[in-house]
Amino acid sequence: MSQPSVEIVDLHYAYPDGHSALSAVHLHLHPGEKVALVGPNGAGKSTLLLHLNGILSHQTGELRICGLDVNAKNLGRVRALVGLVFQSPDDQLFSPTVFDDVAFGPIYQGLKPAQVDERVHAALSQVHMEEYARRVSHHLSVGEKKRIALATVLAMQPEVLALDEPSAGLDPRARRTLIHLLSEMPQTMLVATHDLPMVRELFTRTVVMDQGRVVADGPTAQILRDAALLEAHGLEMP
């Protein structure tokens, strides 16, 4: 078996007010796996995603990305390996143009202008938004913004994609476009979502979280036909 892209062992995290957000989380993702992360609001899904590139720092346990410990010393390398896409694209888009938004990461990495241009073109091509480079991000639709937000992390050439509620707020056409894009991506992928029909279509493996713990982890078909499991953890059969 190849080295895991994501390796989490007995991870614990509590917020400053003492609320326990993650408790004894164990999770391994292997290269190229696309895994859905489901559960009720407050289950710890977003908190877990924020740990993958060090935005939040675990208090006990082990967390490695492509064999690299997630710690202060490795933070720059880890953030290049993990592309985190927030639920709201407005949290990710802040530059004057789409090009500037997508170029921000490669520029921060210290790449030369020609390399930055190449990265931006490649990332926009991956999300089929090549013609939007000179557009203003905040004038785009929600679906277009989400694709640009995805391009901003693809420009960093990550090994792992971590997406928080990617289909939230999308109309049917934009949702279908997003599902198709995600199905094409070769990266290891962990996606927190309430969209169980998307889970059934796109992911072969599903992890259920509740109250900061992983309560189930298995083949998507098996998880989604377990009505008692879904009901117990605030989910409905798709």
Side-chain angles (χ1 to χ4, degrees), residues 185-225:
M185 300 292 169
Q187 288 90 350
T188 306
M189 197 176 293
L190 184 62
V191 178
T193 182
H194 287 100
D195 188 344
L196 295 191
M198 180 182 74
V199 170
R200 181 174 55 192
E201 180 175 349
L202 189 58
F203 302 98
T204 57
R205 177 182 167 199
T206 295
V207 173
V208 183
M209 287 190 71
D210 200 355
Q211 297 183 347
R213 295 178 177 271
V214 172
V215 296
D217 181 352
T220 294
Q222 176 181 319
I223 296 287
L224 295 188
R225 67 171 173 257

Side-chain angles (χ1 to χ4, degrees), residues 17-38:
D17 64 2
H19 171 70
S20 177
L22 299 175
S23 182
V25 173
H26 292 259
L27 187 63
H28 290 65
L29 277 68
H30 288 280
E33 266 198 300
K34 288 182 170 67
V35 179
L37 187 62
V38 305

Side-chain angles (χ1 to χ4, degrees), residues 29 35 46 73 92 111-112 154 160 173 183 191 215 229:
L29 277 68
V35 179
S46 297
K73 180 181 71 173
Q92 210 140 359
L111 299 185
K112 296 178 180 179
L154 292 175
V160 177
R173 179 182 294 177
S183 71
V191 178
V215 296
L229 171 70

Side-chain angles (χ1 to χ4, degrees), residues 34-110:
K34 288 182 170 67
V35 179
L37 187 62
V38 305
N41 290 334
K45 304 185 299 296
S46 297
T47 301
L48 182 59
L49 294 185
L50 292 173
H51 275 75
L52 296 186
N53 71 348
I55 290 178
L56 294 179
S57 181
H58 57 288
Q59 287 138 351
T60 62
E62 301 173 22
L63 174 56
R64 285 180 285 275
I65 302 295
C66 301
L68 195 66
D69 287 324
V70 179
N71 56 33
K73 180 181 71 173
N74 295 329
L75 204 53
R77 294 167 65 193
V78 166
R79 287 181 175 168
L81 288 169
V82 179
L84 178 61
V85 182
F86 298 109
Q87 177 175 344
S88 172
D90 289 330
D91 292 336
Q92 210 140 359
L93 305 177
F94 48 80
S95 300
T97 69
V98 166
F99 181 94
D100 295 325
D101 273 320
V102 181
F104 180 83
I107 290 172
Y108 181 78
Q109 286 181 312

